[in-house]
């Protein structure tokens, strides 16, 4: 990035009104030269005017030193130069002052007025002086030379510094405009980089949340059923060996299914990391583009469960001792992968919560296929015995309902959960079909 603004600011550090010490030294040098010139020219002026030569020298020194303030008060310098023009003094001050005036930020009408005054003053003084020289016999050229010399001298002393000052002033303003534009562009780029970093951080946070939610859905349900079956296995191991064998087989099946789903998820993550490692180095500007691309929508998930596996899910809960009543309304049809996966996860997590908090309670699972949406509801009755859920010692992290709500809301749906009047609990969700 550029640092034009910082360099421009650091360059300022001169005394008084000078922006740099070099400018102050240059102006002091010009003022000394101008004062010396006016002092030398003041000697013959004092002699012709009949005043003491010392007075003319002092007057020339004071008048010429006015050039020192050319950057602060250019109008005053030009006016002094015009005022001493009849005394044939201050040629350097007039040229430099007019140049400084033209290069300043003053309105063009003021510059044109003062330049015109200096042009006319120089023209009249030169016309009179050349005429006097010809009358005294010091010049023997024809009368045509008087206007020619006056016009040439006045234009030569006025036009070059005026045009040069206008050019330098325009160029200076252009450079200032470009510098301000570069500083503005630098600030905009910095702001865009900060926003891109924020979007990238937001995208990373969304991805971490999605992975955590998916891991919770995969692990919580399977492991909860395994714990329930393990508790049942412990209870019937000696009384009913055949039932204990069935429960042990179910625990093994649940464990293998959980491991399979975890391996699939880790495989997707590792394949994504591998693709990123094999790719070229991504420039920092692409982070913002990637963040913007991720921001509007939900990160596309890999292959997951669908509604056709809902019967198997209910059967697993029934095998764990839960009484589950599944009812489906409307015409069964296919939905988008994200819709079916979200609907499945809502039912799965609701059944898991029943295992955790209301073991043995009868549960009703209702699924309704509507024209433009799909609705699901999981409601359980109060548990038959207080503290029955504690026998399985199922921990709860409080993330299940949060994850369900995030999934449904991300698809533009509505999620409601809470206790029923009968003492049970109800989870309801409506997801748009598209």
């Amino acid at each position: 990035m550029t640092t034009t603004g910082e360099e421009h600011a650091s360059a300022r550090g001169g005394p008084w009104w000078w922006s740099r010490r070099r400018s102050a030294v240059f102006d002091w040098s010009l003022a000394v030269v101008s004062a010396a010139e006016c002092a030398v020219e003041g000697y013959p002026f004092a002699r012709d005017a009949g005043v003491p030569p010392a007075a003319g020298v002092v007057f020339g020194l004071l008048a010429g030193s006015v050039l020192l303030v050319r950057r602060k008060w250019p109008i005053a310098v030009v006016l002094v130069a015009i005022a001493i023009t009849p005394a044939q003094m201050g040629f350097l001050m007039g040229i430099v002052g007019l140049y400084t005036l033209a290069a300043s930020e003053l309105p063009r009408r003021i510059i044109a007025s003062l330049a015109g005054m200096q042009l006319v003053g120089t023209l009249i003084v030169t016309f009179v002086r050349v005429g006097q020289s010809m009358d005294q016999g010091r010049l023997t050229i024809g009368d045509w030379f008087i206007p020619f010399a006056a016009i040439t001298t006045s234009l030569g002393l006025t036009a070059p510094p005026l045009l040069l000052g206008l050019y330098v002033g325009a160029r200076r303003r252009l450079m200032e405009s470009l510098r301000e534009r570069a500083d503005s562009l630098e600030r905009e780029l910095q702001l865009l980089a900060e926003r891109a970093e924020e979007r990238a951080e937001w995208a990373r946070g969304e991805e971490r949340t999605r992975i955590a939610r998916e891991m919770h859905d995969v692990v919580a349900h399977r492991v909860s059923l395994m714990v329930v079956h393990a508790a049942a296995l412990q209870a019937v191991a000696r009384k009913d060996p055949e039932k204990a064998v069935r429960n042990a087989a179910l625990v093994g099946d649940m464990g293998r299914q959980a491991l399979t789903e975890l391996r699939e998820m880790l495989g997707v993550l590792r394949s994504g990391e591998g693709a990123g490692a094999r790719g070229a180095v991504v420039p920092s500007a692409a982070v913002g583009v990637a963040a913007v691309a991720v921001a509007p929508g939900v990160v596309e998930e890999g292959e997951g469960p669908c509604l056709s596996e809902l019967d198997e899910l209910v059967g697993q809960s029934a095998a764990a001792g839960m009484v589950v009543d599944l009812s489906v309304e409307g015409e069964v049809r296919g939905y988008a992968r994200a819709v079916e996966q979200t609907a499945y996860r809502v039912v799965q997590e609701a059944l898991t919560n029943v295992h955790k908090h209301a073991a043995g309670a009868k549960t009703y699972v209702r699924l309704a296929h509507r024209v433009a949406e799909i609705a699901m509801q999981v409601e359980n009755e109060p548990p038959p015995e207080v503290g029955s859920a504690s026998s399985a010692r199922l921990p709860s992290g409080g993330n299940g309902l949060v994850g369900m709500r995030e999934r449904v809301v991300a698809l533009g749906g509505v999620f409601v959960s809470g206790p029923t009047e009968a003492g049970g609990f109800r989870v309801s969700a409506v997801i748009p079909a598209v």
Side-chain angles (χ1 to χ4, degrees):
M1 291 187 180
T2 63
T3 56
T4 54
E6 297 178 359
E7 293 177 356
H8 182 65
S10 63
R12 306 183 66 89
W16 296 344
W17 56 81
W18 287 283
S19 61
R20 293 175 296 181
R21 295 183 181 275
R22 183 175 61 183
S23 300
V25 173
F26 181 71
D27 285 357
W28 275 96
S29 302
L30 286 178
V32 170
V33 174
S34 176
E37 177 205 353
C38 292
V40 172
E41 294 169 346
Y43 182 83
F45 168 72
R47 184 185 56 192
D48 295 341
V51 298
V57 173
V58 173
F59 175 76
L61 289 173
L62 294 176
S65 61
V66 176
L67 190 59
L68 184 65
V69 297
R70 69 183 185 94
R71 298 179 190 266
K72 185 69 173 178
W73 296 293
I75 296 179
V77 174
V78 174
L79 290 176
V80 172
I82 295 173
I84 63 176
T85 298
Q88 290 186 327
M89 298 169 57
F91 294 103
L92 177 62
M93 184 169 58
I95 294 174
V96 177
L98 186 59
Y99 161 79
T100 306
L101 179 69
S104 67
E105 301 293 336
L106 293 172
R108 294 295 178 87
R109 62 180 182 274
I110 297 178
I111 298 175
S113 299
L114 293 175
M117 292 171 60
Q118 185 166 344
L119 175 65
V120 173
T122 306
L123 178 65
I124 294 174
V125 171
T126 305
F127 188 88
V128 173
R129 290 294 182 177
V130 174
Q132 291 177 352
S133 298
M134 293 187 67
D135 292 340
Q136 295 173 2
R138 286 180 291 183
L139 291 175
T140 58
I141 308 176
D143 293 338
W144 61 269
F145 182 73
I146 298 177
F148 173 77
I151 295 174
T152 303
T153 303
S154 59
L155 289 177
L157 294 177
T158 305
L162 177 64
L163 296 178
L164 181 60
L166 292 175
Y167 167 75
V168 172
R171 184 176 181 275
R172 184 182 301 162
R173 287 188 290 272
L174 176 61
M175 295 302 295
E176 288 291 336
S177 175
L178 293 177
R179 184 180 293 110
E180 292 177 359
R181 188 177 301 176
D183 293 341
S184 176
L185 180 60
E186 180 181 358
R187 289 190 295 269
E188 290 179 1
L189 290 176
Q190 185 176 1
L191 182 60
L192 288 176
E194 292 175 357
R195 290 182 177 177
E197 183 62 27
E198 292 176 358
R199 289 179 179 270
E201 183 62 29
W202 177 85
R204 288 191 291 268
E206 287 292 317
E207 185 65 13
R208 286 193 296 267
T209 303
R210 187 188 69 83
I211 294 175
R213 185 168 58 239
E214 194 69 21
M215 294 287 289
H216 175 272
D217 291 340
V218 170
V219 174
H221 182 74
R222 302 295 184 188
V223 175
S224 298
L225 291 180
M226 291 172 63
V227 173
V228 171
H229 283 295
L233 176 63
Q234 183 180 4
V236 301
R238 296 181 180 179
K239 299 179 181 180
D240 192 347
E242 294 183 359
K243 188 175 182 180
V245 171
R246 290 196 300 271
N247 287 340
L250 287 174
V251 170
D253 291 339
M254 294 294 176
R256 282 188 290 272
Q257 292 176 3
L259 289 175
T260 300
E261 293 187 9
L262 286 175
R263 287 195 185 99
E264 291 177 355
M265 184 176 299
L266 294 176
V268 171
L269 295 177
R270 289 183 178 275
S271 63
E273 294 176 358
R278 290 191 299 269
V281 178
V282 180
S284 58
V287 177
V289 178
V292 173
V294 173
V298 180
V299 179
E300 184 176 356
E301 302 178 357
E303 293 295 329
C306 55
L307 289 177
S308 60
E309 303 174 9
L310 198 59
D311 292 334
E312 181 181 357
L313 177 66
V314 173
Q316 292 174 355
S317 296
M322 180 188 297
V323 180
V324 186
D325 182 14
L326 173 64
S327 61
V328 180
E329 302 176 3
E331 183 180 356
V332 179
R333 63 183 187 276
Y335 299 92
R337 169 62 62 180
V339 174
E340 292 206 10
Q341 185 172 351
T342 300
Y344 180 92
R345 292 302 189 192
V346 169
V347 176
Q348 182 187 55
E349 182 60 29
L351 293 177
T352 302
N353 288 339
V354 175
H355 283 293
K356 289 181 179 180
H357 308 290
K362 185 174 182 180
T363 306
Y364 301 92
V365 179
R366 299 182 179 89
L367 187 67
H369 299 273
R370 299 172 183 171
V371 177
E373 60 188 17
I374 178 173
M376 66 223 66
Q377 178 177 290
V378 179
E379 180 180 351
N380 64 274
E381 298 178 351
E385 298 179 4
V386 178
S388 60
S390 61
S391 60
R393 296 185 179 91
L394 293 174
S396 176
N399 297 320
L401 294 177
V402 176
M404 284 189 284
R405 182 181 301 277
E406 290 177 350
R407 284 181 177 273
V408 174
V409 172
L411 296 179
V414 179
F415 179 84
V416 179
S417 63
T420 62
E421 296 180 356
F425 198 84
R426 181 186 299 117
V427 173
S428 303
V430 178
I431 305 174
V434 181

